[in-house]
PDB file of all heavy atoms in Angstrom:
ATOM      1  N   ALA I  49      -3.676 -26.074  12.079  1.00 98.00           N
ATOM      2  CA  ALA I  49      -2.870 -26.731  13.163  1.00 98.00           C
ATOM      3  C   ALA I  49      -1.794 -27.657  12.537  1.00 98.00           C
ATOM      4  O   ALA I  49      -0.705 -27.729  12.970  1.00 98.00           O
ATOM      5  CB  ALA I  49      -3.757 -27.412  14.096  1.00 98.00           C
ATOM      6  N   ARG I  50      -2.206 -28.403  11.498  1.00 97.00           N
ATOM      7  CA  ARG I  50      -1.300 -29.267  10.855  1.00 97.00           C
ATOM      8  C   ARG I  50      -0.145 -28.536  10.136  1.00 97.00           C
ATOM      9  O   ARG I  50       0.985 -29.000  10.058  1.00 97.00           O
ATOM     10  CB  ARG I  50      -2.024 -30.159   9.812  1.00 97.00           C
ATOM     11  CG  ARG I  50      -2.900 -31.234  10.505  1.00 97.00           C
ATOM     12  CD  ARG I  50      -3.537 -32.123   9.496  1.00 97.00           C
ATOM     13  NE  ARG I  50      -2.563 -32.969   8.865  1.00 97.00           N
ATOM     14  CZ  ARG I  50      -2.543 -33.298   7.545  1.00 97.00           C
ATOM     15  NH1 ARG I  50      -3.449 -32.789   6.737  1.00 97.00           N
ATOM     16  NH2 ARG I  50      -1.601 -34.022   7.071  1.00 97.00           N
ATOM     17  N   ALA I  51      -0.443 -27.307   9.677  1.00 97.00           N
ATOM     18  CA  ALA I  51       0.603 -26.494   9.085  1.00 97.00           C
ATOM     19  C   ALA I  51       1.649 -26.153  10.132  1.00 97.00           C
ATOM     20  O   ALA I  51       2.849 -26.222   9.875  1.00 97.00           O
ATOM     21  CB  ALA I  51       0.014 -25.204   8.521  1.00 97.00           C
ATOM     22  N   LEU I  52       1.154 -25.807  11.306  1.00 97.00           N
ATOM     23  CA  LEU I  52       2.124 -25.513  12.404  1.00 97.00           C
ATOM     24  C   LEU I  52       2.914 -26.711  12.832  1.00 97.00           C
ATOM     25  O   LEU I  52       4.119 -26.648  13.127  1.00 97.00           O
ATOM     26  CB  LEU I  52       1.351 -24.803  13.554  1.00 97.00           C
ATOM     27  CG  LEU I  52       2.180 -24.160  14.652  1.00 97.00           C
ATOM     28  CD1 LEU I  52       3.134 -23.115  14.072  1.00 97.00           C
ATOM     29  CD2 LEU I  52       1.319 -23.509  15.687  1.00 97.00           C
ATOM     30  N   LEU I  53       2.196 -27.828  12.916  1.00 97.00           N
ATOM     31  CA  LEU I  53       2.888 -29.079  13.310  1.00 97.00           C
ATOM     32  C   LEU I  53       3.984 -29.406  12.342  1.00 97.00           C
ATOM     33  O   LEU I  53       5.019 -29.954  12.678  1.00 97.00           O
ATOM     34  CB  LEU I  53       1.876 -30.207  13.417  1.00 97.00           C
ATOM     35  CG  LEU I  53       0.932 -30.220  14.564  1.00 97.00           C
ATOM     36  CD1 LEU I  53      -0.083 -31.299  14.449  1.00 97.00           C
ATOM     37  CD2 LEU I  53       1.649 -30.295  15.888  1.00 97.00           C
ATOM     38  N   ALA I  54       3.781 -29.068  11.068  1.00 96.00           N
ATOM     39  CA  ALA I  54       4.788 -29.411  10.041  1.00 96.00           C
ATOM     40  C   ALA I  54       6.112 -28.674  10.309  1.00 96.00           C
ATOM     41  O   ALA I  54       7.147 -29.165   9.854  1.00 96.00           O
ATOM     42  CB  ALA I  54       4.295 -29.045   8.658  1.00 96.00           C
ATOM     43  N   THR I  55       6.065 -27.618  11.045  1.00 95.00           N
ATOM     44  CA  THR I  55       7.354 -26.910  11.371  1.00 95.00           C
ATOM     45  C   THR I  55       8.207 -27.743  12.260  1.00 95.00           C
ATOM     46  O   THR I  55       9.416 -27.536  12.306  1.00 95.00           O
ATOM     47  CB  THR I  55       7.052 -25.556  12.087  1.00 95.00           C
ATOM     48  OG1 THR I  55       6.508 -25.782  13.371  1.00 95.00           O
ATOM     49  CG2 THR I  55       6.177 -24.610  11.260  1.00 95.00           C
ATOM     50  N   LYS I  56       7.643 -28.701  12.893  1.00 95.00           N
ATOM     51  CA  LYS I  56       8.421 -29.636  13.788  1.00 95.00           C
ATOM     52  C   LYS I  56       8.393 -31.060  13.245  1.00 95.00           C
ATOM     53  O   LYS I  56       8.763 -32.029  13.974  1.00 95.00           O
ATOM     54  CB  LYS I  56       7.825 -29.604  15.228  1.00 95.00           C
ATOM     55  CG  LYS I  56       8.048 -28.288  15.894  1.00 95.00           C
ATOM     56  CD  LYS I  56       7.646 -28.337  17.284  1.00 95.00           C
ATOM     57  CE  LYS I  56       7.936 -26.965  17.916  1.00 95.00           C
ATOM     58  NZ  LYS I  56       8.533 -27.018  19.264  1.00 95.00           N
ATOM     59  N   ARG I  57       7.974 -31.166  11.993  1.00 95.00           N
ATOM     60  CA  ARG I  57       7.894 -32.472  11.285  1.00 95.00           C
ATOM     61  C   ARG I  57       6.985 -33.419  12.066  1.00 95.00           C
ATOM     62  O   ARG I  57       7.318 -34.610  12.201  1.00 95.00           O
ATOM     63  CB  ARG I  57       9.264 -33.115  11.068  1.00 95.00           C
ATOM     64  CG  ARG I  57      10.127 -32.218  10.138  1.00 95.00           C
ATOM     65  CD  ARG I  57      11.440 -32.881   9.877  1.00 95.00           C
ATOM     66  NE  ARG I  57      12.279 -31.965   9.036  1.00 95.00           N
ATOM     67  CZ  ARG I  57      12.440 -32.162   7.736  1.00 95.00           C
ATOM     68  NH1 ARG I  57      11.863 -33.148   7.103  1.00 95.00           N
ATOM     69  NH2 ARG I  57      13.193 -31.316   7.033  1.00 95.00           N
ATOM     70  N   LEU I  58       5.929 -32.903  12.558  1.00 96.00           N
ATOM     71  CA  LEU I  58       4.947 -33.685  13.311  1.00 96.00           C
ATOM     72  C   LEU I  58       3.625 -33.719  12.551  1.00 96.00           C
ATOM     73  O   LEU I  58       3.300 -32.763  11.869  1.00 96.00           O
ATOM     74  CB  LEU I  58       4.684 -33.102  14.681  1.00 96.00           C
ATOM     75  CG  LEU I  58       5.888 -32.997  15.615  1.00 96.00           C
ATOM     76  CD1 LEU I  58       5.535 -32.113  16.858  1.00 96.00           C
ATOM     77  CD2 LEU I  58       6.288 -34.345  16.081  1.00 96.00           C
ATOM     78  N   ASP I  59       2.880 -34.788  12.642  1.00 96.00           N
ATOM     79  CA  ASP I  59       1.551 -34.896  12.043  1.00 96.00           C
ATOM     80  C   ASP I  59       0.785 -36.080  12.610  1.00 96.00           C
ATOM     81  O   ASP I  59       1.432 -36.965  13.189  1.00 96.00           O
ATOM     82  CB  ASP I  59       1.728 -35.070  10.551  1.00 96.00           C
ATOM     83  CG  ASP I  59       0.471 -34.743   9.746  1.00 96.00           C
ATOM     84  OD1 ASP I  59      -0.466 -34.102  10.345  1.00 96.00           O
ATOM     85  OD2 ASP I  59       0.352 -35.077   8.587  1.00 96.00           O
ATOM     86  N   SER I  60      -0.421 -36.109  12.344  1.00 94.00           N
ATOM     87  CA  SER I  60      -1.309 -37.258  12.664  1.00 94.00           C
ATOM     88  C   SER I  60      -2.486 -37.172  11.735  1.00 94.00           C
ATOM     89  O   SER I  60      -2.907 -36.126  11.338  1.00 94.00           O
ATOM     90  CB  SER I  60      -1.807 -37.142  14.095  1.00 94.00           C
ATOM     91  OG  SER I  60      -2.707 -38.178  14.413  1.00 94.00           O
ATOM     92  N   SER I  61      -3.011 -38.357  11.370  1.00 86.00           N
ATOM     93  CA  SER I  61      -4.129 -38.429  10.449  1.00 86.00           C
ATOM     94  C   SER I  61      -5.435 -38.259  11.195  1.00 86.00           C
ATOM     95  O   SER I  61      -6.466 -38.108  10.611  1.00 86.00           O
ATOM     96  CB  SER I  61      -4.118 -39.720   9.665  1.00 86.00           C
ATOM     97  OG  SER I  61      -4.184 -40.803  10.562  1.00 86.00           O
TER      98      SER I  61
END
Side-chain angles (χ1 to χ4, degrees):
R50 288 183 68 221
L52 193 54
L53 289 175
T55 65
K56 295 190 178 220
R57 297 182 183 260
L58 299 169
D59 198 16
S60 176
S61 61

